[in-house]
Amino acid sequence: MSTNTPQGLTREWVSRLVIGEGLCPFARPVFDSLLIEVCDSSDAGDVTSAFMDLLQRVAEADPAELPTALFVMPNVFADFDEYWNWTAICDNLLAQMRYEGLIQLATFHPQYLFEGEDENDASHYSNRSPYPMLHLIREADIEAALLQVSHPERIPERNRQHLRRIGVEGLLQIVPVLAKSRP
């Protein structure tokens, strides 16, 4: 698969940063079966509709066949605040479609900023991705994975410290596509 496509760049990002730097201890076991769904539309309505379709597919699929999915939107929501507002709509749709408690959404964006952190802090890169995206994760899989990790509550702080040790320049060497994520 070409790494010049949104799907290829996303797969490389997961492989090199998320798994390679150990940011998510649950990612490696599902990497080979990870669905990366790209919606090329630049229309927010079309993207929302495509999200709902994927949400239904993941929720109703056999977990062994479709354990998790990334929904990638390379042509919409370049503005982080606009993206963040849209994710609130997605959370509401998840509840309306009665998938709350079954599927959880995780947010990733090229300009991701944690509130209260300096905008140049390397810790933002734990949620910075090549494109705006949502991760659709089965809650049962999260619960099972958490049983396999000692002190899962420490993962976010461990990631912040690890990314700060690497630094922004080091992170850009690991995943060059994130250079467009710089403020």
Side-chain angles (χ1 to χ4, degrees):
M1 173 182 305
S2 171
T3 57
N4 293 325
T5 66
Q7 187 177 36
L9 288 169
T10 299
R11 187 166 288 283
E12 179 182 357
W13 167 75
V14 171
S15 175
R16 297 184 80 180
L17 185 65
V18 177
I19 294 173
E21 292 302 318
L23 299 183
C24 178
F26 323 122
R28 186 177 307 276
V30 298
F31 183 68
D32 291 337
S33 57
L34 173 66
L35 172 65
I36 299 173
E37 180 94 6
V38 177
C39 179
D40 287 320
S41 180
S42 59
D43 178 81
D46 290 344
V47 170
T48 303
S49 197
F51 162 75
M52 291 169 61
D53 289 345
L54 178 61
L55 176 60
Q56 182 175 4
R57 276 192 358 239
V58 171
E60 296 178 4
D62 179 336
E65 293 178 23
L66 182 55
T68 188
L70 289 173
F71 182 66
V72 180
M73 307 154 285
N75 299 315
V76 68
F77 304 124
D79 178 78
F80 180 67
D81 290 331
E82 184 179 296
Y83 164 81
W84 195 250
N85 291 335
W86 180 77
T87 65
I89 292 168
C90 292
D91 278 329
N92 287 331
L93 288 169
L94 182 121
Q96 289 173 20
M97 294 172 73
R98 302 187 193 284
Y99 297 133
E100 198 169 40
L102 178 65
I103 302 291
Q104 186 178 109
L105 303 178
T107 54
F108 298 92
H109 189 276
Q111 299 298 319
Y112 205 102
L113 291 172
F114 290 108
E115 193 171 323
E117 297 288 346
D118 181 271
E119 76 172 32
N120 295 310
D121 194 300
S123 67
H124 300 298
Y125 284 81
S126 69
N127 285 63
R128 287 199 178 169
S129 55
Y131 304 99
M133 68 178 75
L134 283 175
H135 186 188
L136 289 72
I137 315 163
R138 294 177 188 282
E139 294 221 5
D141 291 345
I142 293 171
E143 290 170 13
L146 288 174
L147 295 174
Q148 306 301 314
V149 177
S150 64
H151 304 292
E153 71 280 1
R154 295 182 187 165
I155 293 172
E157 182 57 32
R158 182 187 52 80
N159 286 348
R160 280 191 289 278
Q161 290 176 7
H162 179 65
L163 294 173
R164 287 173 179 151
R165 274 192 302 274
I166 295 171
V168 172
E169 294 306 319
L171 288 164
L172 297 179
Q173 289 178 12
I174 294 167
V175 188
V177 69
L178 293 180
K180 67 182 182 181
S181 298
R182 295 185 90 157

